[in-house]
Amino acid sequence: MRLDVITIFPEYLEPLNVSLVGKARARGQLDVRLHDLREWTHDKHHTVDDTPYGGGPGMVMKPDPWGEALDTVLASGEGEPVLVVPTPSGVPFTQQLAVELSAKPWLVFTPARYEGIDRRVIEEYGDRLDVREVSIGDYVLAGGEAPVLVMVEAIARLLPGVLGNAASHQDDSFAPGAMADLLEGPVYTKPPEWRGRTIPDVLLSGHHGKIARWRRDEAFRRTDRNRPDLIERADPAAFDKKDRDI
Ligand SMILES: COC(=O)c1ccnc(N)c1
């Protein structure tokens, strides 16, 4: 997979050089290219924003630098990418969307600052590309770079071979299938006793069926407590089927 990020703060994306994404890049599983939007400005101040038509607070990102940057990036690759525009007014970024995007060969992210990008940029590229305006939650940030880090991590970990244990993401909270609408339950590791706190006996029983059922019950319990909005969608039968697959 190729990922391009066009931003006025390329240094904000440095975390893409470390950990899971960094290793995937080193192994050649991910081709991440960062582009400084200001390279496509032509004035001495490298201006990327201007006052909004119609008045109002803040500044809007000018269309010209984005158009030149996107034209350059698009001309440098094979085929057409999905254009991912991080914005609080986008569709929710979900595990399902991460799964969908992880199957695409090329993604281009356009994190904005200020009050956003001139709408005509989205319209211009929306005429020929699959453009997704995506929100990572109901809150506003100073820029879209942190959402890019969030989305890239969620997407990269789904790429084949990136996560050590293939099963690791099949049991994720929200993973398609049995966990689609359930939060992951509690997890434990050694030592068996820590500050007087022990491990649930069932996890030491070696009985896979009982362990799976305990994990399902804990998932339902945590979902009911933290995300009652999901609980009515969760399907115990689907989870039980996964039990039988064990
Ligand atoms: C400037 O971008 C944002 O504030 C943003 C982007 C994506 N999701 C959000 N919840 C906010």
Side-chain angles (χ1 to χ4, degrees):
M1 174 188 279
R2 175 177 166 177
L3 296 177
D4 288 81
V5 186
I6 304 170
T7 169
I8 60 171
F9 291 126
E11 65 276 19
Y12 203 111
L13 282 300
E14 282 303 309
L16 295 182
N17 293 320
V18 299
S19 183
L20 176 126
V21 175
K23 290 189 178 70
R25 292 177 72 178
R27 286 197 295 258
Q29 292 168 303
L30 260 183
D31 170 10
V32 178
R33 306 184 193 192
L34 304 181
H35 311 276
D36 185 342
L37 180 67
R38 295 191 195 277
E39 284 177 22
W40 289 277
T41 60
H42 309 294
D43 63 303
K44 68 177 178 178
H45 298 300
H46 301 294
T47 307
V48 293
D49 63 321
D50 204 334
T51 54
Y53 276 123
M59 304 288 273
V60 174
M61 299 194 90
K62 296 163 57 68
D64 288 327
W66 282 104
E68 291 184 32
L70 282 164
D71 288 347
T72 304
V73 170
L74 295 178
S76 72
E78 298 290 318
E80 295 195 330
V82 176
L83 197 56
V84 182
V85 183
T87 169
S89 51
V91 299
F93 183 67
T94 61
Q95 188 69 18
Q96 188 175 346
L97 181 52
V99 170
E100 181 192 348
L101 294 177
S102 71
K104 305 291 184 185
W106 185 15
L107 304 177
V108 174
F109 291 89
T110 59
R113 294 256 138 187
Y114 311 104
E115 298 305 311
I117 301 173
D118 185 299
R119 186 67 198 166
R120 290 169 292 180
V121 174
I122 309 302
E123 290 168 356
E124 165 76 2
Y125 293 93
D127 286 348
R128 52 183 152 135
L129 297 178
D130 178 0
V131 176
R132 310 289 182 94
E133 296 181 89
V134 182
S135 169
I136 63 166
D138 293 338
Y139 40 80
V140 181
L141 303 167
E145 284 78 9
V148 170
L149 292 176
V150 165
M151 290 190 269
V152 168
E153 171 136 347
I155 291 163
R157 66 186 291 278
L158 297 172
L159 297 177
V162 169
L163 270 191
N165 168 358
S168 296
H169 57 72
Q170 283 150 11
D171 297 338
D172 286 347
S173 296
F174 309 106
M179 292 296 286
D181 293 311
L182 283 176
L183 304 180
E184 264 186 273
V187 290
Y188 300 86
T189 187
K190 301 178 187 62
E193 179 169 336
W194 179 70
R195 296 188 183 182
R197 298 176 189 276
T198 56
I199 306 298
D201 291 338
V202 66
L203 297 181
L204 305 173
S205 70
H207 192 299
H208 295 300
K210 286 182 180 173
I211 291 169
R213 270 185 292 282
W214 180 85
R215 284 177 170 156
R216 175 203 58 193
D217 295 346
E218 287 301 312
F220 269 89
R221 194 169 293 128
R222 178 173 283 183
T223 308
D224 191 34
R225 183 172 61 244
N226 295 343
R227 291 293 303 275
D229 58 304
L230 294 179
I231 200 69
E232 64 270 7
R233 288 190 350 218
D235 173 10
F239 204 96
D240 286 339
K241 182 193 175 308
K242 188 168 101 37
D243 286 359
R244 286 194 292 277
D245 294 345
I246 283 176

